[in-house]
Amino acid sequence: MTTDRGARFWRRPGAGAEGRRRFIPVFILVGLGAFIALLNPTFLTPSNLITVVLQASILSIVAIGQTYVILTAGIDLSVGSLVALGGALSAGLAVKAGLGTYPAILLTLLVGVGLGAVSGLLVVKGHIPPFVATLAMMAIARGLTLVYTQGRPIAGLGADFTFLGTGDILGIPMPVWIMAVVAVLAALLLTQTRFGLYVRAIGGGGEETVRLAGVRPGVIKLLVYMLSGFMATLGGVLLAARLWSAQPNAGIGLELDAIAAAVLGGASLFGGIGGVGGTLIGALLIGVLSNGMNLLEIPSYYQQVVKGMVFVLAVLLDFATRRRPTP
Amino acid sequence: MASEATAPPNSPKLPSSPPPVSEATPLLEMRGIAKAFPGVQALSDVSFTLHAGEIHALVGENGAGKSTLMNILTGAVPKDAGTILLRGQPVEITDPRRAIELGIAIIHQELTLIPHLTVAQNIYLGREPHGRLPGTVDWATLNRQAEDLLARLGLDLRPTTPVAELSIAQRQMVEVAKALSLNADIIAMDEPTSALSEREVETLFGFIRQLRRQGVGLIYISHRIAEVFALADRVTVLRDGRHVGTASVQDVDEAQIINWMVGRTLSELYPKTSRPQAEVVLKVEGLRRDNSLHDISFELHRGEILGLAGLVGAGRTHVVRALFGVDPVDGGTIWLEGRPVRITSPQEAIRLGIGLVPEDRKAQGLFLGMAVRQNITMTRLHDLSRLGVIDRRRQDGLARQYVEELRIRTPGLGQRVRALSGGNQQKVVIARWLTLNPKVLLLDEPTRGIDVGAKVEIYALMSELAARGVGILMISSELPEILGVCDRILVMRGGRLVGEFDRAEATQDAIMTLATGGTRS
C-alpha cells in the first residue's frame, strides 16, 4: 500500500471546504509579510526573519499544547501562567537550589505535567468546564510563581541554561531547533498514533462514540491537559533561557496568543479539527504581526488592540463556516 | 509499511447461505420485559422474538415503548423484569458495551459517527491495527480492511472519505458496516428513513435486504406502515407499553396494524367539537425564501385547525418560522384579519397575535429550570409589574388560571418545568401563548414524544381553542393525528404546497403519495 497521500488529498471529492481552508493561513501569512515588507524593507533581511522565527518558536511550543486541548473541544487558559512558573521554577532550582541545569529543567517539566493533570482531573472527574478549571489554574500557577520568586526576577543563569535560549547550532537558534523537534514529535503523535486519533475523535461530539469503542475519553482528555502543561513549562524554560533571567510576570496574555495561533492555523474551537502544521503557521502569523507592528512603530498599547481584533476575526471565521445552521 | 500477513482483526462473519427462517431457536428472545419510569409504566410484559435472516418490524405510536424496549436490548436502560435469551442462552445486558460484545447493535436516528474522521477511522474506532512503533496506527492496513468490508457489503464508499461528506443514508450504512465489523448479528434500526429522500430510502432498503440474505437479524423500528409492508417479514405492535400483536406481514393488512397501534376508535382519540368559521384570519400569498420555500399560498379561517403534512425536510417548519418572523422571507404577502402585515421579528408576530409552539419544546419553548409560574407568565411580565417589580399575587393569579383551565398536572406553581411530563410541559408552552389571547397559533409537532393520554388532552385543547375562534396551523408527521384533528390538510414537498384535502376526503395514502412525490389519482 503505497498510496500517495498528497495526491489523494487533492483528489478527494469535496476535500473542498476543509482542504482549501488549510491554505488560507498560508496565504494570509504571505500576504501580511509582503505588505509589511513593502512598508519597511527591513522586514525581509535574514537577521529580522530569524528574529521573527525565534520569537515565534516559544509561542509555537505553547500553542501546540493548546492545539491538543482545543482538538478535544477544551481550552487551556493556564498556559501563560505556566510559562512564568516554568521559567521561575527552573531558574530557581538551577540557581538558588543548585540542582544543576538539566535536573532543574526536568523537575520543572514534571511540575508542569502535574499541574496540567490537576486541570485535567478538574475537567474529567470534577466535570468543571475547561475554561473555568484552567482559569483557576491560571491564577494558582501565577500565584505560585509570585510566591516562589517573591515577585522578583531570578537572574544568574548558567551558560548551559542560557545556551538553550541564546545559543545556536549551524546558525539556527536553539529555541528554533527545540521547537522543530517538538513540532515533528507532536505532529507524529497526532497523525500516526491511536492517542492522536482519539484526541481528534473526542472533539467533534464523539465522546460517547469513543467510549463505546472501548476507549476511555477521560484518560485521553487528562493526557491532553498534561501535555499542554508540559509544553507551557517548556516554553517558560526557553523564555527564561533567552532572557537570561526568569520574570515572574512572564507570559501574561500568552494564553490568548496561543489560542489565537491555533485558531488562526485552522483549529476549530468546536473541537476535532486542527493540526500542528496549521498552528505553527498561526504562531508565525502572530510573530510576523508583532514584528511588523514593531517595524512600523505602532505603539505597543495599540498592538494589543490589533491582536485582540485579529483573534476575534479568526474565531468569527471558525464560527461562521463550521457551525451547522439550524434548519 | 504494512505487511500482507497482518490479518484484519474482527473480520465480520457473513454466512454465505442464509439460514432458514424457522421456528427453531430464535436468534433473540425477549420475554416478559417490564420497565417503569417515575410516573409511567413504559413496558409491561412485552415479548419479542427475532430469527436470523429476518426483518422484524417494531411499530407503535410515540410513547408506545419501542425505544424503551430497544434501550433495554442495548443495555442503555436496565429492565425491571423479564429475561433476554440469545440463541436460547439467557444473558444479562448490563451496559451498552456488553450489548456490543454480544453482537447487538442499534443504529439511532442521531448517528454516532464522528464527522471529521474518515469512513475507515469511524468503522474501526478503538480497534485500529497496530503500526510498527508502539501506539501507532497502521493506516494502510486500516483502509484496506475497511475497503474489504465495504466491498463485501456492496457499498460504494471510499474508506478515506470523511464522514462529513456523506449523505445521511450513506452514514447509516457506515454505521451498519461498523456494527457488522463488530460481529453484530442483531441490528436494530430506529426510524432510519425519517430524514431520507425517496431514492435514499430505496438504496437503504436494498442494503437491508442484502443483510437479511447474509443472515443478519434486523429489527426495524418505524411508524410508517407502508415501509413495514415493503420491507419486513413480521411485525410486532406495541401500544402504551404493552405487546398488542405479532404477525407475519402476509397475514395482516394496514387497517389491522393501525387498529393495533391506536387501539381505540378515531372519535375517542380525536375529540373533535369545533367548526371553522367563514372569516379568514390569516392569508398567505406567494411566500418564498431562497431554496426553502416556493410560492406558498393558503388561507386559515377563524376557528379552523389546518394541518401541514409532509416529510421531514419538506419545508413545513420553514413556513411557520417565516410566519413567526424568525426567518426573513424573500417575497410574498401576509394578511392578518384582512390587513396586510409585515412580520420581521418574533416580537412583531407576538404583537400581532401570532403564537408559535416550537418543534423542540425543551430547547425552544421552555425555561426548563424555571417554575411553572414563570414559564406561563413570561410574555406578560410587563403587564404584571409595577415600576419593574413583578406583582407576585397577580402573577400567581394568572398562572393559576391557566393551570386550572388547561388541567396542567403540577404539584404547584413553583414546580420546575423540567420535572413535568412531556404532555404537561407542552401545555405550559401553550398556556404561555394563551395569556396573550392569540388570533393564530402555530403548532410544530405539538404531540411529539408525549404519551397517548396526554395527546388526547392536547387534541381536546386544540379543539377548544378553535371553538373560541383561534386559527390553528399544525405541523405533524403523524398522519393519523393530522387526519383526526384537522379540518383541512395542506401537503408540502420540496418547499412547495403540492396538495390540499378536506377532512372528509383525506386518507393516509393520498397524503403520503403527494408528500413523497407521486401524483394524486
Side-chain angles (χ1 to χ4, degrees):
Chain A
M1 294 303 283
T2 51
T3 314
D4 182 347
R5 280 221 191 103
R8 187 172 272 199
F9 173 78
W10 284 107
R11 270 189 281 113
R12 202 164 66 194
E18 207 47 55
R20 271 193 305 278
R21 267 193 76 115
R22 297 184 188 196
F23 295 93
I24 295 176
V26 181
F27 292 138
I28 298 176
L29 181 61
V30 171
L32 184 66
F35 177 72
I36 295 167
L38 217 65
L39 295 177
N40 189 336
T42 325
F43 176 75
L44 282 183
T45 58
S47 72
N48 186 59
L49 288 180
I50 287 182
T51 306
V52 170
V53 176
L54 176 63
Q55 282 172 343
S57 58
I58 291 174
L59 173 61
S60 298
I61 291 171
V62 179
I64 288 169
Q66 184 74 255
T67 302
Y68 269 79
V69 178
I70 289 178
L71 276 166
T72 64
I75 201 147
D76 189 349
L77 299 179
S78 68
V79 293
S81 297
L82 288 178
V83 163
L85 185 70
L89 195 58
S90 58
L93 289 174
V95 176
K96 294 202 284 192
L99 263 188
T101 296
Y102 290 103
I105 290 175
L106 200 66
L107 202 59
T108 301
L109 296 179
L110 283 178
V111 169
V113 169
L115 292 178
V118 172
S119 296
L121 284 173
L122 288 173
V123 170
V124 174
K125 292 284 174 199
H127 303 287
I128 299 175
F131 97 90
V132 177
T134 58
L135 187 65
M137 183 52 69
M138 172 177 168
I140 292 168
R142 179 70 61 188
L144 289 176
T145 309
L146 292 169
V147 168
Y148 186 69
T149 60
Q150 289 302 301
R152 287 186 293 273
I154 299 173
L157 300 179
D160 51 351
F161 201 126
T162 55
F163 175 77
L164 295 173
T166 55
D168 67 87
I169 296 177
L170 304 172
I172 295 179
M174 279 310 287
V176 178
W177 280 113
I178 295 171
M179 179 269 282
V181 171
V182 164
V184 168
L185 290 178
L188 289 175
L189 183 68
L190 190 60
T191 59
Q192 299 302 318
T193 68
R194 295 164 163 246
F195 170 72
L197 178 66
Y198 301 150
V199 167
R200 285 180 283 147
I202 286 174
E207 196 164 332
E208 191 55 32
T209 307
V210 168
R211 181 173 299 131
L212 287 180
V215 182
R216 283 151 66 191
V219 174
I220 304 290
K221 282 198 200 172
L222 178 63
L223 287 171
V224 157
Y225 286 91
M226 290 163 69
L227 184 68
S228 181
F230 175 86
M231 295 293 212
T233 37
L234 176 61
V237 169
L238 296 181
L239 186 63
R242 194 157 78 80
L243 301 175
W244 296 65
S245 69
Q247 305 288 336
N249 289 326
I252 287 181
L254 194 76
E255 58 281 341
L256 179 85
D257 282 357
I259 298 164
V263 174
L264 281 171
S268 169
L269 290 174
F270 299 113
I273 301 169
V276 173
T279 296
L280 288 184
I281 301 288
L284 213 49
L285 199 49
I286 290 175
V288 168
L289 190 67
S290 303
N291 180 264
M293 288 194 291
N294 283 334
L295 289 179
L296 302 178
E297 292 170 8
I298 295 173
S300 66
Y301 297 157
Y302 286 99
Q303 294 191 11
Q304 287 278 346
V305 178
V306 173
K307 272 193 197 169
M309 293 195 303
V310 168
F311 178 54
V312 165
L313 285 176
V315 174
L316 279 178
L317 185 70
D318 177 30
F319 275 49
T321 54
R322 294 221 174 95
R323 190 178 230 171
R324 297 272 172 272
T326 46
Chain B
M1 98 179 234
S3 72
E4 289 294 326
T6 321
N10 303 311
S11 59
K13 46 171 182 257
L14 299 174
S16 47
S17 65
V21 180
S22 67
E23 295 309 312
T25 317
L27 193 54
L28 165 74
E29 197 173 353
M30 302 176 83
R31 285 187 197 151
I33 304 290
K35 176 71 195 177
F37 293 111
V40 53
Q41 185 69 33
L43 290 175
S44 24
D45 193 24
V46 170
S47 296
F48 183 84
T49 58
L50 177 70
H51 294 275
E54 178 190 38
I55 301 175
H56 194 150
L58 182 61
V59 300
E61 292 198 300
N62 288 339
K66 295 169 295 184
S67 304
T68 308
L69 187 65
M70 287 304 108
N71 285 336
I72 287 171
L73 177 63
T74 55
V77 164
K79 60 185 181 332
D80 295 344
T83 45
I84 301 176
L85 299 125
L86 279 184
R87 294 182 199 78
Q89 300 299 313
V91 290
E92 282 302 321
I93 303 170
T94 44
D95 60 279
R97 293 288 309 281
R98 181 82 188 117
I100 292 170
E101 285 163 21
L102 290 168
I104 300 167
I106 185 160
I107 316 297
H108 285 286
Q109 277 170 285
E110 295 93 26
L111 299 177
T112 62
L113 299 177
I114 299 165
H116 45 263
L117 297 188
T118 67
V119 169
Q121 285 168 344
N122 266 291
I123 291 177
Y124 290 104
L125 190 71
R127 297 171 291 141
E128 297 81 8
H130 292 264
R132 272 180 304 186
L133 292 171
T136 59
V137 179
D138 182 349
W139 295 117
T141 303
L142 176 76
N143 287 332
R144 200 181 48 237
Q145 258 173 248
E147 209 164 319
D148 289 350
L149 175 68
L150 295 170
R152 253 177 303 165
L153 297 174
L155 292 178
D156 184 24
L157 295 173
R158 299 164 62 116
T160 51
T161 308
V163 162
E165 294 169 16
L166 302 181
S167 71
I168 301 289
Q170 286 173 320
R171 291 184 204 194
Q172 283 173 338
M173 295 182 216
V174 172
E175 286 260 24
V176 173
K178 178 177 173 180
L180 292 173
S181 79
L182 284 158
N183 285 336
D185 45 19
I186 297 171
I187 295 180
M189 302 188 81
D190 189 1
E191 304 272 0
T193 58
S194 58
L196 299 190
S197 73
E198 212 179 346
R199 230 182 60 212
E200 288 179 317
V201 169
E202 267 319 303
T203 318
L204 184 70
F205 279 11
F207 181 57
I208 292 175
R209 290 190 186 102
Q210 190 192 332
L211 296 178
R212 166 170 59 186
R213 282 195 296 278
Q214 292 175 339
V216 177
L218 290 134
I219 303 170
Y220 189 87
I221 301 163
S222 181
H223 59 237
R224 295 191 186 162
I225 294 166
E227 288 183 354
V228 171
F229 283 98
L231 194 62
D233 303 305
R234 285 196 299 162
V235 53
T236 286
V237 180
L238 298 185
R239 187 209 321 144
D240 300 346
R242 292 174 184 281
H243 177 260
V244 187
T246 296
S248 173
V249 291
Q250 287 97 350
D251 302 339
V252 284
D253 60 5
E254 196 173 325
Q256 175 69 61
I257 290 180
I258 291 176
N259 190 5
W260 278 352
M261 281 171 66
V262 178
R264 50 190 109 185
T265 62
L266 283 180
S267 60
E268 274 174 328
L269 191 56
Y270 305 109
K272 180 117 186 91
T273 52
S274 64
R275 287 280 170 276
Q277 303 167 16
E279 190 189 340
V280 172
V281 61
L282 177 75
K283 184 177 171 194
V284 175
E285 208 169 85
L287 203 63
R288 62 191 159 77
R289 173 166 200 254
D290 44 49
N291 286 321
S292 50
L293 295 178
H294 308 280
D295 193 24
I296 302 290
S297 304
F298 65 88
E299 291 180 347
L300 173 66
H301 292 257
R302 196 175 284 286
E304 181 181 38
I305 302 178
L306 180 60
L308 202 47
L311 302 180
V312 171
R316 299 169 304 168
T317 297
H318 288 292
V319 172
V320 297
R321 284 173 66 90
L323 289 177
F324 197 59
V326 186
D327 297 334
V329 292
D330 299 332
T333 323
I334 301 169
W335 284 268
L336 197 70
E337 297 184 315
R339 288 183 299 117
V341 291
R342 278 176 50 82
I343 304 171
T344 52
S345 69
Q347 287 82 354
E348 185 68 13
I350 292 169
R351 201 184 58 74
L352 291 166
I354 299 175
L356 169 68
V357 175
E359 189 174 11
D360 183 350
R361 64 176 166 273
K362 287 187 179 157
Q364 301 167 354
L366 287 168
F367 308 93
L368 286 173
M370 291 179 129
V372 169
R373 128 183 346 110
Q374 282 138 0
N375 269 281
I376 292 179
T377 58
M378 188 61 75
T379 42
R380 284 289 301 275
L381 291 181
H382 184 72
D383 309 314
L384 296 172
S385 328
R386 200 167 298 135
L387 299 173
V389 179
I390 299 168
D391 181 339
R392 187 60 167 270
R393 270 221 324 264
R394 291 174 58 201
Q395 185 184 25
D396 280 3
L398 186 70
R400 186 166 299 116
Q401 176 194 336
Y402 284 97
V403 165
E404 284 165 9
E405 197 173 322
L406 270 60
R407 294 176 296 277
I408 298 173
R409 273 182 290 279
T410 168
L413 296 178
Q415 176 69 40
R416 285 176 202 280
V417 163
R418 190 189 308 281
L420 298 183
S421 73
N424 282 302
Q425 287 182 350
Q426 194 66 292
K427 286 189 202 169
V428 169
V429 180
I430 295 174
R432 172 159 359 108
W433 290 113
L434 297 188
T435 64
L436 295 167
N437 295 318
K439 302 177 179 114
V440 174
L441 253 189
L442 310 169
L443 305 177
D444 196 350
E445 304 278 6
T447 65
R448 171 173 291 176
I450 66 184
D451 61 63
V452 179
K455 277 184 187 180
V456 176
E457 290 194 32
I458 299 276
Y459 301 145
L461 180 60
M462 288 171 64
S463 199
E464 223 172 287
L465 293 175
R468 280 196 232 161
V470 180
I472 296 177
L473 180 64
M474 176 180 80
I475 293 178
S476 175
S477 294
E478 291 182 43
L479 287 179
E481 166 176 299
I482 287 247
L483 292 170
V485 173
C486 298
D487 299 299
R488 235 168 5 117
I489 297 150
L490 304 174
V491 185
M492 282 192 79
R493 170 164 44 86
R496 292 174 199 283
L497 285 178
V498 291
E500 179 185 333
F501 297 93
D502 267 337
R503 180 180 175 78
E505 57 171 353
T507 63
Q508 291 214 15
D509 276 347
I511 293 174
M512 217 48 213
T513 310
L514 275 182
T516 55
T519 45
R520 204 173 155 186
S521 53

